[in-house]
Amino acid sequence: GFLPLQGHIVRNWKVRWFVLLQDKLLYYKIEGGKKEPSPKGRILLDGCTITCPCLEYENRPLLIKLKTKTNTDYFLECCSREERDSWALDITGAIHAGHPVQVQELHRMKNSFKLLENISLHNIVERMYDSSTGIKLTRNLDQGNRYKETFTGSALVDWLISNSFAVSRFEAVTLASMLMDENFIRPVGVRSTEATRSSDPSEKFLDDSTALYMFAESSKKNTSSKEEVNFNISELSGKIVKQGFLVKQGHKRKNWKVRKFVLRVDPAFLHYYDPTKEENKPVGGFSLRGCLVSALEDNGVPAGVKGNVQGNLFKIITKNDIHYYIQASSKAERVQWIEAIKPLT
């Protein structure tokens, strides 16, 4: 699949097509909408160590860090927590493939639940407040309400694991629930507030990128009317229902670029981002109201498509008659995207 990779010499980000083998991770360049036949590089997994979650970059919370036995660092970015955890688990399995005892220990650690006996909630909160290594506070929007100095559920779970307060996500969720029960943190917004009604302690805190929380003594939410929220913010306030990397043809130069697509509902919008840029702002997007979406045949290049494309194409025509040509990584992924978009048109 597609993953942004940080360069070794020039520290910029490039999107590459990754293929995981038993002993190595290959990555390929996409040129003209098609994967090049020879790999651009490879990461040897023998003696490699993996860090996930990796929180070394504030603007990139979904990183995986690989350090080879020659001390070369590779940073890979995923488009969602689920994708990141899936890649990390598969890569970890490949790293330890020749060491069955380590694989068993890995699964035992992930499936066991035992909080550290000497753990201090006060110590955790003190560390969370640290200006350099603590939890990053951001502004968030939830159904027209703006919240200052908040963090998402998944961000706190990542932070607890990366700071060795928990081994698994289940442990981190339980620990976060304890922080909430002891009134160190509190839920804000509809999603996280509704979760507190659950009778299961581990479900009171959501490991979710749309569930918002804040320190209990933080200032209360700053609400704003629908009229005060500008149009771009209202576009981005919908619930994310699907996201992933797709290859898109440009409107003017007709070149192909990998973009991170995010599908939202209420309101229904499809936005796309440049994953090589540091700022997490869409470079384009459109309302799905009145759109037409359809798959394109893989035999031959359809009219309007430039370049020797890989295949798995589909087209979206907006109500303003703008044509978007997009490639998925597989036929199954193309079907998933079309089925997700169609009900929103």
Side-chain angles (χ1 to χ4, degrees):
F2 290 112
L3 295 172
L5 169 72
Q6 188 186 59
H8 296 304
I9 301 173
V10 180
R11 291 291 185 177
N12 58 350
W13 294 83
K14 299 288 186 182
V15 180
R16 296 291 182 248
W17 176 261
F18 280 81
V19 177
L20 178 61
L21 303 179
Q22 188 172 6
D23 60 343
K24 65 179 74 74
L25 190 59
L26 304 178
Y27 52 93
Y28 297 78
K29 188 177 180 181
I30 300 293
E31 196 65 50
K34 191 172 184 179
K35 177 174 71 72
E36 291 187 343
S38 300
K40 184 77 174 175
R42 66 194 68 212
I43 303 172
L44 299 178
L45 299 178
D46 181 38
C48 202
T49 59
I50 182 170
T51 303
C52 179
C54 173
L55 306 180
E56 292 191 22
Y57 290 87
E58 181 179 345
N59 293 335
R60 296 179 181 270
L62 298 172
L63 287 179
I64 297 171
K65 178 182 178 180
L66 296 174
K67 181 185 283 290
T68 67
K69 64 180 180 181
T70 58
N71 287 325
T72 303
D73 291 340
Y74 292 87
F75 292 93
L76 318 177
E77 185 179 32
C78 299
C79 67
S80 68
R81 178 177 54 79
E82 292 78 13
E83 184 190 48
R84 181 199 62 190
D85 292 348
S86 177
W87 269 105
L89 187 61
D90 289 341
I91 293 171
T92 302
I95 290 173
H96 298 307
H99 308 279
V101 174
Q102 292 184 8
V103 175
Q104 290 176 6
E105 178 66 12
L106 177 72
H107 285 288
R108 186 194 67 77
M109 289 174 63
K110 286 186 175 295
N111 295 327
S112 67
F113 172 63
K114 183 181 179 183
L115 289 174
L116 298 176
E117 293 181 2
N118 60 345
I119 205 158
S120 166
L121 296 182
H122 288 276
N123 178 44
I124 293 175
V125 174
E126 195 172 295
R127 290 274 298 276
M128 287 174 68
Y129 270 111
D130 190 285
S131 58
S132 59
T133 61
I135 189 82
K136 302 301 180 185
L137 303 178
T138 59
R139 295 189 180 196
N140 284 284
L141 186 76
D142 182 87
Q143 297 197 358
N145 295 323
R146 288 176 182 164
Y147 298 93
K148 293 181 178 180
E149 298 186 329
T150 59
F151 47 87
T152 66
S154 56
L156 179 53
V157 170
D158 287 348
W159 185 88
L160 289 169
I161 294 174
S162 66
N163 284 272
S164 302
F165 288 114
V167 173
S168 67
R169 303 196 77 82
F170 179 72
E171 286 186 20
V173 166
T174 305
L175 190 53
S177 299
M178 293 167 62
L179 290 171
M180 194 162 58
D181 290 341
E182 295 298 323
N183 203 32
F184 287 111
I185 63 174
R186 66 182 181 89
V188 291
V190 175
R191 183 118 166 80
S192 55
T193 303
E194 288 181 348
T196 59
R197 299 174 186 151
S198 171
S199 58
D200 186 343
S202 65
E203 291 180 5
K204 289 183 178 180
F205 181 90
L206 293 177
D207 180 5
D208 192 289
S209 60
T210 62
L212 301 180
Y213 300 86
M214 68 193 315
F215 290 115
E217 63 269 27
S218 297
S219 58
K220 294 188 176 181
K221 67 185 180 183
N222 295 325
T223 59
S224 61
S225 66
K226 297 292 183 180
E227 291 74 26
E228 292 175 332
V229 179
N230 66 47
F231 180 70
N232 288 332
I233 292 180
S234 67
E235 281 186 22
L236 301 171
S237 65
K239 179 184 177 182
I240 296 175
V241 292
K242 189 171 179 60
Q243 55 187 327
F245 295 113
L246 299 168
V247 190
K248 172 187 166 294
Q249 181 178 264
H251 291 309
K252 296 179 180 178
R253 295 180 58 194
K254 304 298 182 184
N255 57 344
W256 292 88
K257 297 287 186 182
V258 178
R259 294 290 182 250
K260 174 185 173 181
F261 279 78
V262 178
L263 179 63
R264 294 179 172 91
V265 297
D266 300 325
F269 272 84
L270 185 63
H271 292 96
Y272 49 94
Y273 300 70
D274 185 345
T276 66
K277 303 297 183 184
E278 290 298 330
E279 62 273 10
N280 189 30
K281 296 180 180 178
V283 295
F286 50 90
S287 170
L288 292 174
R289 185 69 60 87
C291 285
L292 296 174
V293 57
S294 60
L296 298 176
E297 295 297 330
D298 289 338
N299 50 348
V301 180
V305 174
K306 303 293 183 181
N308 186 18
V309 298
Q310 191 87 8
N312 305 312
L313 280 162
F314 64 98
K315 178 171 67 173
I316 301 175
I317 306 175
T318 70
K319 64 179 181 181
N320 297 325
D321 200 34
I322 299 175
H323 293 227
Y324 289 86
Y325 294 97
I326 302 169
Q327 291 186 70
S329 60
S330 65
K331 288 185 177 180
E333 186 182 45
R334 176 174 65 178
V335 169
Q336 291 170 8
W337 273 101
I338 292 175
E339 289 183 346
I341 293 171
K342 267 187 176 178
L344 307 178
T345 58

